[in-house]
Every structure is written in C-alpha cells, then in structure tokens.
Amino acid sequence: MILHFIFVVPEEDREKRQFEFEYVKKMSKFYQVWLKEKFGQEYEIQCDEMITKPRSILQRLDTHTLVRDHEQRGKDVFHFYLTHFKPWWTDCTCEGYHAENFGMVFWQTPKESNDTLYLAEKNCTTVSHELIHEMLRIKGHKKFIQDVHDVWTKHLFEQLEFEQYGEDFKKTDGKPMFLTMDTTQFNLQ
C-alpha cells in the first residue's frame, strides 16, 4: 500500500515555504512508522509538492478538485493533501476531510519560518486526526467518525495531552517534533 503526502502550495509561495515542505517530508516518514506501530498498517511513503497557479474564483481549488486529482492519480493509492485553503465542506472540526484512501487538511503556515513546534501543534495533529479516521474505517470500526471527534474534543477542551514524539520518532517528554492524537483512547484490538 502507498500513502502519498501532497503539499499543495501556491507557485508564488513555494520558495518561502520550503522549510514547511522539509517538515512534511520528515512528518511523512514519521507517519510511516507510527501507522505500523499503532495500527499494524505498512505503507510505502511518497511525498511531493503540487504547485498551484492563481485561478479565478469560479475555478477555485477545493475538495472536489482534489478528489478528481486523487481519482486521476489512482484510487488505490492513499492520497493525503496538505492544502493552503480550508475545505468549503467538512465533517471534521479540524478543518480536514477524509474519504476512502483520501485525506486533506488545511495546512497552517507559521509566522516564524522555522517554527517546528507550530507545525507539530497546528498541522501534525490534524493529519493524525484524518489518518485515524481512515485507519479505524479500514479496521471496520463502526463509529470511526464520532469516536475520533470525541477524542479530538477532549484534546481541545478537556486537557487531554497529544502524544509527543521526537526526531527519532520515539515518544518524548522533551520538545516534540511531531504531535498526534492520543491513540490509547481507541480500542485498537
């Protein structure tokens, strides 16, 4: 199985957002290890950029455009889009969207160009949210949408800590490089 992370970036922002793309490449390798460890799912990881050009308001990029791109690339590959825009429609409170072998999140740019902690807190967590939806769906979990949203709410409003991982992809109490939802909250057996 292949998990393909696609960093969607406007052409005019590409150069100044290279730090973010470097983080995305590291994060994709982290999720390769994390998915195997937490869900027993082995993925070959691919990671690249989708450079977008300015469009008219009627041709604006949105979820439907990326779903069409996903279908053209091949539905058998899990495509995960990290976008510079919020989806017009979503069923997730984290401004993401998921479907079979498809995920997308609104990727937030830090104010400081090298703020790894911001990327972990604002983006890596939402990627884990959408990945968990898909992993639970694959495992036949009946309430895979509601259960993920219940845990997400605990993270945001009930002080449930995100799981912290260092550059070595191992849990850490120090400054994290990656943050994910707390997977102990799900019955993964």
Side-chain angles (χ1 to χ4, degrees), residues 13 20 29 40 100 102 120 126 130 133 178:
D13 294 343
E20 292 172 74
K29 295 295 184 191
E100 185 175 339
F102 178 91
T126 59
E130 298 304 335
H133 275 310
F178 310 103

Side-chain angles (χ1 to χ4, degrees), residues 3-4 21 35 37 71 74 86 98 107 121 136:
L3 173 54
H4 187 179
F21 184 55
L35 289 168
E37 180 183 297
E71 291 170 350
K86 296 177 184 180
H98 67 93
W107 185 270
E121 290 173 343
L136 293 179

Side-chain angles (χ1 to χ4, degrees), residues 39-53:
F39 299 95
Q41 296 291 321
E42 290 192 45
Y43 284 95
E44 174 189 326
I45 297 295
Q46 296 176 354
C47 186
D48 66 56
E49 294 173 295
M50 175 189 281
I51 313 303
T52 62
K53 296 187 182 295

Side-chain angles (χ1 to χ4, degrees), residues 144-169:
F144 69 92
I145 294 173
Q146 186 61 47
D147 288 352
V148 173
H149 291 175
D150 289 347
V151 173
W152 187 253
T153 299
K154 289 178 185 177
H155 281 301
L156 297 181
F157 302 109
E158 298 175 22
Q159 278 69 50
L160 177 63
E161 296 289 328
F162 287 105
E163 293 179 349
Q164 299 184 150
Y165 296 86
E167 273 190 82
D168 61 358
F169 306 158

Side-chain angles (χ1 to χ4, degrees), residues 74-188:
K75 290 182 184 181
D76 55 331
V77 172
F78 184 174
H79 294 105
F80 201 111
Y81 298 85
L82 311 164
T83 67
H84 55 85
F85 57 88
K86 296 177 184 180
W88 281 356
W89 183 88
T90 180
D91 59 355
C92 287
T93 56
C94 71
E95 299 182 299
Y97 177 79
H98 67 93
E100 185 175 339
N101 269 349
F102 178 91
M104 72 174 282
V105 295
F106 169 56
W107 185 270
Q108 299 182 55
T109 300
K111 290 184 183 14
E112 300 293 322
S113 64
N114 60 351
D115 191 346
T116 302
L117 185 57
Y118 181 93
L119 294 175
E121 290 173 343
K122 298 292 185 185
N123 297 310
C124 193
T125 55
T126 59
V127 170
S128 74
H129 179 123
E130 298 304 335
L131 286 172
I132 292 170
H133 275 310
E134 182 64 1
M135 294 304 108
L136 293 179
R137 184 198 66 76
I138 288 170
K139 292 189 169 292
H141 194 86
K142 299 272 187 261
K143 297 184 339 183
F144 69 92
I145 294 173
Q146 186 61 47
D147 288 352
V148 173
H149 291 175
D150 289 347
V151 173
W152 187 253
T153 299
K154 289 178 185 177
H155 281 301
L156 297 181
F157 302 109
E158 298 175 22
Q159 278 69 50
L160 177 63
E161 296 289 328
F162 287 105
E163 293 179 349
Q164 299 184 150
Y165 296 86
E167 273 190 82
D168 61 358
F169 306 158
K170 296 188 182 344
K171 284 198 172 183
T172 185
D173 290 329
K175 184 181 175 188
M177 177 80 167
F178 310 103
L179 292 167
T180 68
M181 288 182 66
D182 183 347
T183 57
T184 64
Q185 302 291 305
F186 305 104
N187 181 6
L188 300 177

